[in-house]
Amino acid sequence: METKIKDKIEYTVICISEFAKKHRLTLPQAFNYLKRWKGIDFIDKGYDVEHLFSIEDAVDDLTAYCQRQGGQLA
């Protein structure tokens, strides 16, 4: 597996996990929310830039992006 692909997968898993923690969701709930509101696409397409920021900033960006797509978190 190409290193960049492996790094991107690991980064995506970390983002989903940290997103789940921040919003008090289970991992499946976080994944389903991010998939529905295009967060997974955001991570994929924005990896080159987003992985340069802290995970906290990346999760904040991810949250804001999904909310702009119509996602709402209680």
Side-chain angles (χ1 to χ4, degrees):
M1 185 183 303
E2 186 181 325
T3 301
K4 184 174 180 179
I5 293 171
K6 183 174 182 261
D7 291 345
K8 201 178 214 185
I9 291 168
E10 289 175 2
Y11 180 76
T12 301
V13 170
I14 290 167
C15 284
I16 294 168
S17 176
E18 292 302 314
F19 183 89
K21 285 181 198 172
K22 178 174 181 164
H23 296 290
R24 297 185 174 154
L25 301 170
T26 65
L27 286 174
Q29 286 172 326
F31 176 81
N32 289 333
Y33 175 89
L34 292 170
K35 186 170 171 74
R36 179 175 182 187
W37 301 110
K38 310 292 188 231
I40 301 297
D41 290 340
F42 175 81
I43 295 169
D44 181 42
K45 293 178 180 144
Y47 171 79
D48 290 338
V49 173
E50 285 294 324
H51 85 279
L52 301 173
F53 298 116
S54 71
I55 285 295
E56 293 81 13
D57 286 345
V59 169
D60 289 346
D61 291 346
L62 188 54
T63 300
Y65 180 82
C66 289
Q67 289 173 335
R68 287 194 303 273
Q69 303 306 307
Q72 295 179 354
L73 291 167

